[in-house]
Amino acid sequence: MSIPRPAVSRLVQCVRRRGFVGGNAAPCLVRRRFASGNSVTNSRIPAPASGPPVPTTTSAMGQRRFPPLQPCFSRARRRFSVSAAAAHGHVEPPKPGEEIHVTFIDKEGDQHLIEVARGDNLLDIAQANDLEVEGACGGSCACSTCHVIVTDSEFYDKMPEPDDDENDMLDLAFGLTETSRLGCQVKMAPELDGLKVKLPSMTRNLQASDFNKSASGAGG
């Protein structure tokens, strides 16, 4: 069986380019068929001068035999990196003189006045103060469970307009109003000092307390 010369040439180039495998100094071998005859001869690329000698044997016909061929490639070790998980519900206290005030009205009608820092979003503020705001998607604008209702339209107009993703999620919110927003998308700023938001009586992802409240209301 003859070996096409272009294929042999590519194999020799691959061997020369890749070098030795895994630090092994044994030379890579190729089998080459000379154009002048049908005999097959081992053609060897010599090892570096610093490498150990390559053991060989001699056949009965007087031909030198070299170790078996080895693959001319090595596997690179992949490196993995891990990013830190976002800590939702963790907010830093505001610096003196930079306090911004926001009031949450919970499902029972109780008001909770909280001093926050600039840049904190309503979802993190509520969770940091043990208010009943679920945030099932972790604040990635992929659910409607952090739905809040801005009680004053003047404050609502001071907020940046919701983008398409937020509007899509708000369409799924329970008790949607004209001043509804997702808490994870509302960041506190000085112009929002004095903001009041109301928590809806239910969310689409029902919490245990919501279910119990509904059951008790139906029983009465």
Side-chain angles (χ1 to χ4, degrees):
M1 178 180 178
S2 62
I3 303 176
R5 291 184 61 82
V8 174
S9 176
R10 288 195 297 270
L11 180 57
V12 173
Q13 292 176 3
C14 173
V15 172
R16 289 175 177 171
R17 183 169 60 252
R18 300 297 179 96
F20 303 101
V21 180
N24 187 357
C28 295
L29 307 178
V30 295
R31 297 178 66 83
R32 176 180 298 175
R33 182 182 298 277
F34 292 99
S36 59
N38 293 326
S39 61
V40 178
T41 306
N42 286 328
S43 176
R44 180 165 72 101
I45 299 175
S50 59
V54 179
T56 60
T57 58
T58 304
S59 66
M61 301 296 294
Q63 295 180 341
R64 297 181 65 189
R65 294 179 178 175
F66 295 93
L69 298 178
Q70 297 183 359
C72 295
F73 63 89
S74 60
R75 293 183 179 180
R77 181 175 297 176
R78 293 184 62 186
R79 296 182 179 180
F80 295 91
S81 60
V82 179
S83 58
H88 297 288
H90 177 74
V91 294
E92 296 292 338
K95 297 179 180 179
E98 298 182 4
E99 299 89 350
I100 302 174
H101 301 84
V102 57
T103 300
F104 286 85
I105 305 174
D106 63 22
K107 300 175 184 181
E108 285 71 32
D110 297 330
Q111 299 191 19
H112 306 266
L113 177 62
I114 305 171
E115 291 185 346
V116 300
R118 179 172 186 166
D120 293 340
N121 66 67
L122 296 181
L123 172 61
D124 287 346
I125 296 169
Q127 292 184 344
N129 291 273
D130 298 324
L131 296 176
E132 208 170 350
V133 179
E134 183 177 357
C137 70
S140 59
C141 196
C143 73
S144 63
T145 57
C146 64
H147 171 215
V148 298
I149 300 170
V150 180
T151 60
D152 192 338
S153 59
E154 292 185 4
F155 281 105
Y156 181 87
D157 293 337
K158 294 179 181 179
M159 299 176 180
E161 293 186 1
D163 58 19
D164 292 339
D165 291 338
E166 183 178 356
N167 281 324
D168 289 343
M169 293 298 102
L170 283 172
D171 288 339
L172 305 175
F174 179 86
L176 186 66
T177 70
E178 292 293 331
T179 57
S180 290
R181 293 297 302 264
L182 294 184
C184 65
Q185 301 300 304
V186 177
K187 294 185 177 181
M188 294 301 297
E191 59 269 22
L192 297 180
D193 186 29
L195 173 68
K196 282 188 178 184
V197 295
K198 181 180 180 181
L199 305 183
S201 58
M202 287 187 180
T203 61
R204 289 298 182 186
N205 289 16
L206 290 177
Q207 301 177 13
S209 60
D210 292 331
F211 181 79
N212 294 335
K213 184 176 180 180
S214 300
S216 62

